[in-house]
Amino acid sequence: MNKLSYGLLSLLSTEPMTGYDLTLKINLFWRSTHSAIYPLLSELEEEGIIELTLIKQNGKPDKKLYHLTKKGEELLYQWVTSETSDAVVRDEMTLKLYCLKCMNMDAADKLLGELETKYKRKVEKYRNAIDKLKSRSEEYSEDIPPSLFGAYILTQKALNEALLGQKWCEWVRDLYAKKDISFLTEDFN
Amino acid sequence: MNKLSYGLLSLLSTEPMTGYDLTLKINLFWRSTHSAIYPLLSELEEEGIIELTLIKQNGKPDKKLYHLTKKGEELLYQWVTSETSDAVVRDEMTLKLYCLKCMNMDAADKLLGELETKYKRKVEKYRNAIDKLKSRSEEYSEDIPPSLFGAYILTQKALNEALLGQKWCEWVRDLYAKKDISFLTEDFN
DNA sequence: TATGACATGTAACATGTTACATGATTCT
DNA sequence: AGAATCATGTAACATGTTACATGTCATA
């Protein structure tokens, strides 16, 4: 049981899903690919942690709709209540930003522009996702129903962070602009 | 040249460092361990991207103080101006939070408490780091000097995010409290 | 007519983590 | 006396990424 396995169980705790669905959904919160997920699903099934229902389709391969077993639910509970390890973050952009000081203005401008574009796209993406969640809620004439609670709070978190990122970019631009002259002199020493 | 290699070059662009120093410093922005870093440094040195100065010590192993070569600086510039890949984020806490809805109140409370503690520690850590950077700046009677610019803006970013995280936790607690009854009924159906 | 979504899987390779290995000095 | 810091390295194992493999349907 590695962390990705528990992630799959987490998603399956809301509703039965296929490997394909899981691949798409988990990527909102956890970087992975189908090549890592399909083999794990097979293992989890062999160990009786999840079960599958075959759904025949024409043209496409048969769907394997997975759901948690009792054993899977128990495992999930144990994991949720155990110690949580630190986040693994590997962001190439961060490493590049560290070098802002040794870049000329064009390069620095380009990099910050790239980052701002990324944040802008994220803001759109997460706003859309929240709108979608809210419209799904209205169908049941409630506010966010329990089954969507996790997705809702995490999407809101991601949106907060993207908005904060945008502000940070502006702050850095201002700082950088003030330092113009000292940077240039460093460049030629 | 993988991303970690470029990360090492980024850090070395500020000042010469040993593998030991690099391991500590890069972990502020990029998860890694010395076991991954030492072999990479050897490779980079073989390819003439970095060079080392041996510093003899008694008791401890000799220090290998690495610095960028001309070739290394050129590589660094090329990388910084090339396309940046998306961040890899794997946060176990996020996966657990997704399941908040299927947890009883005690478990949910414990998890949020754990997260709040983590954010609190981060806030302290990054505030200290910023204070230290500022005091180092005053020695040179400037504001943040160019060589510390990258570390300064990235630490500020990390601090912003930790503070935001704290607020988010409060928001989630409120939301969760409002939903108390519906959650409990779900628990027993 | 070409791209993308749907849907599953394997294989080769790259990367990351943990444990092992050594050893002096300083702090508790 | 024992743990933490400094300082480097290797080996075994776990995990992640990319490319290969197949095939239909809908959209641009």
Side-chain angles (χ1 to χ4, degrees), chain A residues 121-158:
Chain A
R121 291 214 185 106
K122 280 192 181 183
V123 167
E124 281 169 36
K125 179 178 155 188
Y126 295 125
R127 281 213 168 116
N128 284 336
I130 288 175
D131 286 347
K132 207 178 270 183
L133 285 170
K134 285 194 172 166
S135 70
R136 273 224 267 167
S137 306
E138 279 159 25
E139 285 171 31
Y140 301 92
S141 63
E142 281 180 59
D143 1 82
I144 307 298
S147 68
L148 300 179
F149 189 74
Y152 174 61
I153 61 174
L154 290 176
T155 308
Q156 186 65 52
K157 187 166 188 272

Side-chain angles (χ1 to χ4, degrees), chain B residues 51-70:
Chain B
E51 278 171 356
L52 63 87
T53 315
L54 263 183
I55 295 179
K56 301 220 168 170
Q57 301 194 122
N58 32 5
K60 299 169 202 171
D62 291 351
K63 264 191 193 180
K64 292 183 175 177
L65 198 64
Y66 289 100
H67 62 266
L68 292 185
T69 62
K70 198 83 198 165

Side-chain angles (χ1 to χ4, degrees), chain A residues 38-51:
Chain A
Y38 286 121
L40 277 184
L41 286 172
S42 300
E43 281 175 46
L44 291 172
E45 200 247 318
E46 270 176 44
E47 289 170 45
I49 295 162
I50 57 179
E51 279 171 356

Side-chain angles (χ1 to χ4, degrees), chain A residues 74-182:
Chain A
E74 281 164 17
L75 247 178
L76 187 64
Y77 183 81
Q78 278 168 36
W79 166 70
V80 158
T81 52
S82 67
E83 280 293 283
T84 310
S85 60
D86 285 335
V88 172
V89 178
R90 294 199 181 97
D91 186 355
E92 200 181 8
M93 180 58 78
T94 309
L95 297 176
K96 288 188 179 179
L97 289 166
Y98 185 86
C99 307
L100 259 191
K101 56 146 196 347
C102 61
M103 289 160 70
N104 59 43
M105 252 212 281
D106 282 352
D109 217 62
K110 195 187 154 199
L111 191 64
L112 279 173
E114 199 191 337
L115 184 55
E116 280 171 330
T117 305
K118 286 192 184 206
Y119 280 131
K120 207 176 158 187
R121 291 214 185 106
K122 280 192 181 183
V123 167
E124 281 169 36
K125 179 178 155 188
Y126 295 125
R127 281 213 168 116
N128 284 336
I130 288 175
D131 286 347
K132 207 178 270 183
L133 285 170
K134 285 194 172 166
S135 70
R136 273 224 267 167
S137 306
E138 279 159 25
E139 285 171 31
Y140 301 92
S141 63
E142 281 180 59
D143 1 82
I144 307 298
S147 68
L148 300 179
F149 189 74
Y152 174 61
I153 61 174
L154 290 176
T155 308
Q156 186 65 52
K157 187 166 188 272
L159 175 60
N160 289 345
E161 279 164 14
L163 289 167
L164 185 68
Q166 288 186 319
K167 280 190 204 162
W168 180 82
C169 283
E170 281 175 42
W171 175 76
V172 172
R173 270 190 197 283
D174 284 353
L175 253 189
Y176 188 89
K178 277 188 207 162
K179 299 208 159 280
D180 248 11
I181 298 148
S182 51

Side-chain angles (χ1 to χ4, degrees), chain B residues 100-123:
Chain B
L100 259 193
K101 57 150 193 347
C102 61
M103 290 159 70
N104 58 43
M105 253 211 280
D106 282 353
D109 217 62
K110 195 187 153 199
L111 191 65
L112 279 172
E114 199 191 336
L115 183 55
E116 279 171 330
T117 305
K118 285 193 182 202
Y119 279 131
K120 207 176 159 186
R121 291 215 183 105
K122 280 193 180 180
V123 168

Side-chain angles (χ1 to χ4, degrees), chain A residues 20 34-35 38 57 61 63-64 90:
Chain A
Y20 189 85
H34 74 275
S35 326
Y38 286 121
Q57 301 194 122
K63 265 192 194 181
K64 292 183 175 178
R90 294 199 181 97

Side-chain angles (χ1 to χ4, degrees), chain B residues 85-178:
Chain B
S85 60
D86 285 335
V88 172
V89 178
R90 294 199 182 96
D91 186 354
E92 200 181 7
M93 180 57 79
T94 308
L95 297 177
K96 288 188 180 181
L97 289 166
Y98 185 86
C99 307
L100 259 193
K101 57 150 193 347
C102 61
M103 290 159 70
N104 58 43
M105 253 211 280
D106 282 353
D109 217 62
K110 195 187 153 199
L111 191 65
L112 279 172
E114 199 191 336
L115 183 55
E116 279 171 330
T117 305
K118 285 193 182 202
Y119 279 131
K120 207 176 159 186
R121 291 215 183 105
K122 280 193 180 180
V123 168
E124 281 170 35
K125 178 178 156 190
Y126 295 125
R127 281 213 167 116
N128 283 336
I130 287 175
D131 285 347
K132 206 177 268 178
L133 285 170
K134 285 193 171 165
S135 70
R136 272 223 268 166
S137 306
E138 279 159 24
E139 286 171 31
Y140 301 93
S141 65
E142 282 180 59
D143 3 81
I144 307 296
S147 69
L148 300 180
F149 189 74
Y152 174 61
I153 59 173
L154 290 178
T155 308
Q156 186 64 53
K157 187 166 189 272
L159 175 60
N160 290 345
E161 279 165 13
L163 290 167
L164 185 69
Q166 289 186 317
K167 279 189 207 163
W168 181 82
C169 283
E170 281 175 43
W171 175 77
V172 172
R173 269 190 197 283
D174 285 351
L175 252 191
Y176 190 88
K178 276 188 210 162

Side-chain angles (χ1 to χ4, degrees), chain A residues 98, chain B residues 4 7-27 33-42 44-45 50-57 60-68:
Chain A
Y98 185 86
Chain B
L4 178 54
L8 298 173
L9 300 190
S10 302
L11 292 181
L12 290 175
S13 74
T14 302
E15 53 178 336
M17 271 186 264
T18 65
Y20 189 86
D21 299 329
L22 286 164
T23 303
L24 293 179
K25 279 223 178 175
I26 206 163
N27 262 289
T33 57
H34 75 275
S35 327
I37 290 172
Y38 286 122
L40 276 185
L41 285 171
S42 300
L44 291 171
E45 199 247 319
I50 58 179
E51 278 171 356
L52 63 87
T53 315
L54 263 183
I55 295 179
K56 301 220 168 170
Q57 301 194 122
K60 299 169 202 171
D62 291 351
K63 264 191 193 180
K64 292 183 175 177
L65 198 64
Y66 289 100
H67 62 266
L68 292 185

